[in-house]
Amino acid sequence: MDFKKIAKIVACIAALCALAAAVYFAVKKLTAKKEPEYFDDNDFFECDNDLEIIEVTGDETEEAPADEPKEEKKPAPKKKAAKKAE
Protein backbone atom coordinates (compact mmCIF):
# COMPACT_ATOMS: atom_id res chain seq x y z
CA MET A 1 0.00 0.00 0.00
CA ASP A 2 1.15 3.46 -0.69
CA PHE A 3 1.36 6.36 1.73
CA LYS A 4 -1.79 8.17 0.45
CA LYS A 5 -4.01 5.16 1.12
CA ILE A 6 -2.62 4.71 4.65
CA ALA A 7 -3.13 8.43 5.36
CA LYS A 8 -6.76 8.24 4.19
CA ILE A 9 -7.44 5.24 6.44
CA VAL A 10 -5.87 6.96 9.46
CA ALA A 11 -7.85 10.15 8.72
CA CYS A 12 -11.11 8.18 8.52
CA ILE A 13 -10.41 6.46 11.83
CA ALA A 14 -9.58 9.80 13.49
CA ALA A 15 -12.77 11.37 12.09
CA LEU A 16 -14.90 8.49 13.40
CA CYS A 17 -13.29 8.79 16.85
CA ALA A 18 -13.93 12.55 16.89
CA LEU A 19 -17.54 12.01 15.86
CA ALA A 20 -18.03 9.37 18.57
CA ALA A 21 -16.50 11.70 21.18
CA ALA A 22 -18.78 14.58 20.10
CA VAL A 23 -21.87 12.36 20.38
CA TYR A 24 -20.72 11.07 23.79
CA PHE A 25 -20.20 14.57 25.23
CA ALA A 26 -23.48 15.86 23.75
CA VAL A 27 -25.46 12.99 25.29
CA LYS A 28 -23.63 13.37 28.60
CA LYS A 29 -24.34 17.10 28.74
CA LEU A 30 -28.02 16.76 27.81
CA THR A 31 -28.69 13.99 30.32
CA ALA A 32 -26.65 15.45 33.18
CA LYS A 33 -28.37 15.64 36.55
CA LYS A 34 -29.16 19.27 37.25
CA GLU A 35 -28.22 20.41 40.73
CA PRO A 36 -29.95 23.40 42.31
CA GLU A 37 -27.85 26.53 42.68
CA TYR A 38 -27.98 28.03 46.16
CA PHE A 39 -27.51 31.73 46.86
CA ASP A 40 -26.74 33.58 50.05
CA ASP A 41 -29.58 35.94 51.03
CA ASN A 42 -27.09 38.58 52.13
CA ASP A 43 -26.00 39.02 48.53
CA PHE A 44 -29.47 40.23 47.57
CA PHE A 45 -30.49 42.33 50.57
CA GLU A 46 -27.24 44.11 51.30
CA CYS A 47 -27.55 47.83 50.59
CA ASP A 48 -24.80 50.44 50.74
CA ASN A 49 -27.04 53.42 49.96
CA ASP A 50 -27.97 55.84 52.74
CA LEU A 51 -31.74 55.97 52.51
CA GLU A 52 -33.85 58.42 54.47
CA ILE A 53 -36.90 56.88 56.14
CA ILE A 54 -39.96 59.12 56.16
CA GLU A 55 -42.97 58.21 58.26
CA VAL A 56 -46.34 59.07 56.78
CA THR A 57 -49.30 59.80 59.02
CA GLY A 58 -52.84 58.80 58.08
CA ASP A 59 -54.17 62.41 58.38
CA GLU A 60 -53.07 63.50 54.94
CA THR A 61 -55.24 62.32 52.11
CA GLU A 62 -54.89 62.93 48.45
CA GLU A 63 -57.87 64.37 46.65
CA ALA A 64 -59.02 62.24 43.76
CA PRO A 65 -59.54 64.18 40.54
CA ALA A 66 -63.19 64.94 39.88
CA ASP A 67 -64.88 62.91 37.20
CA GLU A 68 -65.05 65.08 34.15
CA PRO A 69 -67.62 64.31 31.46
CA LYS A 70 -66.00 62.83 28.43
CA GLU A 71 -66.49 64.56 25.13
CA GLU A 72 -67.95 62.33 22.47
CA LYS A 73 -65.91 62.17 19.32
CA LYS A 74 -67.78 62.64 16.09
CA PRO A 75 -66.76 60.28 13.30
CA ALA A 76 -64.78 61.94 10.55
CA PRO A 77 -66.79 62.55 7.37
CA LYS A 78 -66.19 59.96 4.71
CA LYS A 79 -64.56 61.11 1.53
CA LYS A 80 -66.75 60.90 -1.52
CA ALA A 81 -65.62 58.52 -4.20
CA ALA A 82 -63.97 60.30 -7.11
CA LYS A 83 -66.13 60.39 -10.21
CA LYS A 84 -64.78 58.52 -13.16
CA ALA A 85 -63.79 60.71 -16.04
CA GLU A 86 -65.70 59.84 -19.16
Side-chain angles (χ1 to χ4, degrees):
M1 291 204 282
D2 59 341
F3 180 73
K4 285 186 178 181
K5 198 168 196 174
I6 293 173
K8 284 182 183 179
I9 292 173
V10 171
C12 288
I13 292 172
L16 290 174
C17 289
L19 183 63
V23 169
Y24 171 77
F25 284 115
V27 169
K28 189 174 180 181
K29 184 171 184 163
L30 291 174
T31 60
K33 185 177 181 181
K34 299 187 180 203
E35 297 180 14
E37 188 173 347
Y38 297 105
F39 296 101
D40 186 16
D41 286 340
N42 293 330
D43 293 341
F44 295 105
F45 299 110
E46 191 173 312
C47 183
D48 295 335
N49 298 334
D50 293 330
L51 300 176
E52 182 180 344
I53 299 173
I54 301 173
E55 293 184 16
V56 178
T57 59
D59 296 339
E60 300 175 16
T61 58
E62 293 183 20
E63 294 181 18
D67 292 333
E68 297 177 10
K70 296 180 180 178
E71 296 179 18
E72 294 182 19
K73 294 183 179 179
K74 294 182 182 179
K78 295 181 181 179
K79 295 183 180 179
K80 294 183 181 179
K83 294 182 181 178
K84 293 183 180 179
E86 293 182 23

